[in-house]
Amino acid sequence: MEKSQAKHTPGPWKIGRKSKLLPSYSIEIGAFTVYAPNKPTANLIAAAPELLEVCKKALNDYLEYCKDADEPTPTFVFKLQAAIRKATGGK
């Protein structure tokens, strides 16, 4: 997998307080604020940049470690690749 620069707003993304006007939590993403309907969703959105980087690193490390192995590719590798493609817009 080739290294590419992030096209998303780099983290950290921060969770704000629950809105008094809207039933949602604010998440600060750079200069923007988005809203999540509940705390677990806000936590997941805020963790997205770190999760993506960890997935990329885990996949690259595994592929490097096993590059000379003559065994079938484990299912988790395909799941990591699919998740990374989804998070990066199919790249």
Side-chain angles (χ1 to χ4, degrees):
M1 177 172 275
E2 66 184 54
K3 286 196 163 206
S4 61
Q5 292 199 348
K7 300 208 182 203
H8 61 80
T9 303
W13 296 356
K14 298 179 181 159
I15 299 172
R17 289 181 281 175
K18 186 170 182 178
S19 171
K20 293 181 182 185
L21 301 175
L22 302 170
S24 62
Y25 288 83
S26 64
I27 301 107
E28 296 174 18
I29 301 175
F32 300 96
T33 301
V34 297
Y35 295 91
N38 53 50
K39 184 76 166 160
T41 301
N43 289 339
L44 182 59
I45 292 169
E50 291 90 350
L51 289 170
L52 177 58
E53 290 309 310
V54 168
C55 285
K56 288 178 176 180
K57 174 108 173 78
L59 179 61
N60 287 334
D61 287 354
Y62 178 81
L63 293 175
E64 180 64 27
Y65 180 77
C66 295
K67 66 182 175 189
D68 296 326
D70 191 24
E71 296 184 23
T73 303
T75 302
F76 81 88
V77 170
F78 300 116
K79 289 182 178 185
L80 272 174
Q81 289 170 327
I84 292 166
R85 274 193 307 274
K86 186 175 183 179
T88 59
K91 298 175 183 165

